[in-house]
Amino acid sequence: MANVIARLRSDAGRCTGDIKRPPKPRTRDTERFRRDPLAAWFDAEAIARIRDWHRVIKKLDVDLYTIGMVALFRAVRSLTKSFEGSNPTWVKRAKEESSLIYLDYSEVDLAVEREIYFVSSRAAEHPKYSAPITLIGGDSSALPIADERIDVVLTSPPYLTRIDYAVAYTRELAILGIDISSDRRLRSGLMGTTLIRREDSLDLSALGGAGKSLLERIAQHDSKASSGYYLKQARQYLDDLTAGFDQLNRVCKRKATVHLVIQDSFYKDVPVPLAEICIEESRARGWDLELQERFEVRRSLTALNTAARAYKKGDVEESVITLRRG
């Protein structure tokens, strides 16, 4: 999904042409669509029409394909807005058939075509890039890149805020045929996931002082499950974070520069100094801190959690960290 959006951003200035509406559906058996990942929100007839659009879009040239897919993502998000709660990163599912969204084919067409027009208009305003762009999908803990090939890295890893990105984008993943409720592999593998994996490979002896201190404070907190589930989730996050730093070390050249966008947060009333942790972990791997710019965060997603408001918190900062090696 991220690759589709990145491809649109890189090629938007070159996107031309029209996306034609699928043929008017004939009478058909829609029973099979009840097992579709989109059945968490839509009735079978609406799903059948969304799949008509998906088939048409998949046959387009790559430039139009990205416009069509992003438009389809937006259309499904718009149509399922009633399943969004106060937390915009958590998407509910229909608990019973009467809660599903019932649409005929013309209503689906209208929603998709409206988004195609919007995305196409934005793409037309986008500048063309003269340099070639290559997009590669991979895991940050096992990058498909040879050693010492990268000059500059700009990245913003997931923060330790317990935002489950697979759930946040569950509707887009459903369009791509992935049902995270029945197949947990993708969700489990993401950095920051709220699912706990069986293996725990975090090397505490190699972890910096800020990371160790955070784990100790979470383990000693008197709230329920702090020394159990929440400690495991924090350890898992730091395991993924340090594995990512190991990969940066491997793929970056000797004089490379890394720019990180990082946000601190809180576990209950315990500060999570993610910027400090990242600086420590990078220094342990031979990187020097060249610059840290701090920005006040006025609105934080943690404020949406009513239970979390019971704990006193301080200000939250976002940092842009520049690291250089050699």
Side-chain angles (χ1 to χ4, degrees), residues 141-190:
S141 64
L143 295 172
I145 301 173
D147 295 355
E148 298 187 19
R149 294 297 180 90
I150 305 300
D151 293 293
V152 179
V153 174
L154 171 61
T155 185
S156 180
Y159 309 145
L160 186 46
T161 51
R162 302 195 68 250
I163 294 176
D164 198 315
Y165 288 94
V167 176
Y169 293 101
T170 185
R171 292 165 290 184
E172 290 87 345
L173 291 170
I175 294 170
L176 297 174
I178 300 171
D179 185 351
I180 64 168
S181 67
S182 60
D183 186 350
R184 295 157 65 96
R185 288 175 298 176
L186 174 65
R187 184 181 171 197
S188 177
L190 293 178

Side-chain angles (χ1 to χ4, degrees), residues 145 148-154 248 251-259 287 323-325:
I145 301 173
E148 298 187 19
R149 294 297 180 90
I150 305 300
D151 293 293
V152 179
V153 174
L154 171 61
L248 284 182
V251 303
C252 286
K253 295 179 180 178
R254 294 298 176 189
K255 300 290 185 180
T257 302
V258 172
H259 304 280
W287 295 82
L323 307 167
R324 190 180 297 277
R325 185 169 65 178

Side-chain angles (χ1 to χ4, degrees), residues 167-224:
V167 176
Y169 293 101
T170 185
R171 292 165 290 184
E172 290 87 345
L173 291 170
I175 294 170
L176 297 174
I178 300 171
D179 185 351
I180 64 168
S181 67
S182 60
D183 186 350
R184 295 157 65 96
R185 288 175 298 176
L186 174 65
R187 184 181 171 197
S188 177
L190 293 178
M191 183 176 177
T193 181
T194 57
L195 297 180
I196 303 300
R197 308 177 200 124
R198 290 183 179 179
E199 69 279 2
D200 183 346
S201 57
L202 180 65
D203 184 0
L204 273 178
S205 65
L207 190 65
K212 287 179 182 176
S213 175
L214 173 63
L215 293 178
E216 289 170 1
R217 296 189 68 180
I218 293 175
Q220 294 167 6
H221 201 278
D222 58 7
S223 63
K224 184 178 179 181

Side-chain angles (χ1 to χ4, degrees), residues 21 123 152 174 292 303:
R21 178 187 296 185
V152 179
Q292 180 179 3

Side-chain angles (χ1 to χ4, degrees), residues 75-314:
V76 168
R77 266 197 177 245
S78 176
L79 293 170
T80 56
K81 201 160 187 64
S82 60
F83 288 91
E84 298 174 3
S86 58
N87 182 347
T89 68
W90 195 265
V91 183
K92 295 177 287 186
R93 303 166 71 90
K95 295 182 179 179
E96 50 194 24
E97 194 167 338
S98 60
S99 301
L100 294 172
I101 299 170
Y102 288 80
L103 301 169
D104 63 29
Y105 78 92
S106 62
E107 291 174 299
V108 174
D109 289 349
L110 181 63
V112 176
E113 289 178 334
R114 181 171 56 241
E115 296 298 342
I116 288 174
Y117 176 78
F118 174 81
V119 177
S120 298
S121 300
R122 292 289 302 274
E125 299 169 357
H126 201 278
K128 295 181 180 179
Y129 293 106
S130 56
I133 296 172
T134 301
L135 297 177
I136 303 171
D139 187 329
S140 63
S141 64
L143 295 172
I145 301 173
D147 295 355
E148 298 187 19
R149 294 297 180 90
I150 305 300
D151 293 293
V152 179
V153 174
L154 171 61
T155 185
S156 180
Y159 309 145
L160 186 46
T161 51
R162 302 195 68 250
I163 294 176
D164 198 315
Y165 288 94
V167 176
Y169 293 101
T170 185
R171 292 165 290 184
E172 290 87 345
L173 291 170
I175 294 170
L176 297 174
I178 300 171
D179 185 351
I180 64 168
S181 67
S182 60
D183 186 350
R184 295 157 65 96
R185 288 175 298 176
L186 174 65
R187 184 181 171 197
S188 177
L190 293 178
M191 183 176 177
T193 181
T194 57
L195 297 180
I196 303 300
R197 308 177 200 124
R198 290 183 179 179
E199 69 279 2
D200 183 346
S201 57
L202 180 65
D203 184 0
L204 273 178
S205 65
L207 190 65
K212 287 179 182 176
S213 175
L214 173 63
L215 293 178
E216 289 170 1
R217 296 189 68 180
I218 293 175
Q220 294 167 6
H221 201 278
D222 58 7
S223 63
K224 184 178 179 181
S226 286
S227 61
Y229 168 79
Y230 292 108
L231 177 62
K232 290 178 182 177
Q233 201 264 338
R235 285 180 59 98
Q236 182 172 277
Y237 176 88
L238 292 176
D239 191 9
D240 290 344
L241 182 70
T242 52
F245 274 114
D246 288 340
Q247 284 294 294
L248 284 182
N249 247 27
R250 182 183 66 80
V251 303
C252 286
K253 295 179 180 178
R254 294 298 176 189
K255 300 290 185 180
T257 302
V258 172
H259 304 280
L260 296 174
V261 180
I262 294 293
Q263 184 175 301
D264 294 340
S265 59
F266 280 84
Y267 169 71
K268 310 299 185 183
D269 51 356
V270 173
V272 178
L274 190 54
E276 182 183 352
I277 290 172
C278 288
I279 291 170
E280 271 195 359
E281 295 305 321
S282 62
R283 280 176 170 159
R285 290 161 176 79
W287 295 82
D288 295 322
L289 175 64
E290 190 168 86
L291 179 67
Q292 180 179 3
E293 296 183 80
R294 296 180 173 88
F295 302 88
E296 180 185 355
V297 177
R298 298 185 181 277
R299 296 186 63 191
S300 173
L301 287 172
T302 56
L304 298 174
N305 186 337
T306 53
R309 294 175 193 167
Y311 296 94
K312 187 177 180 180
K313 299 177 175 65

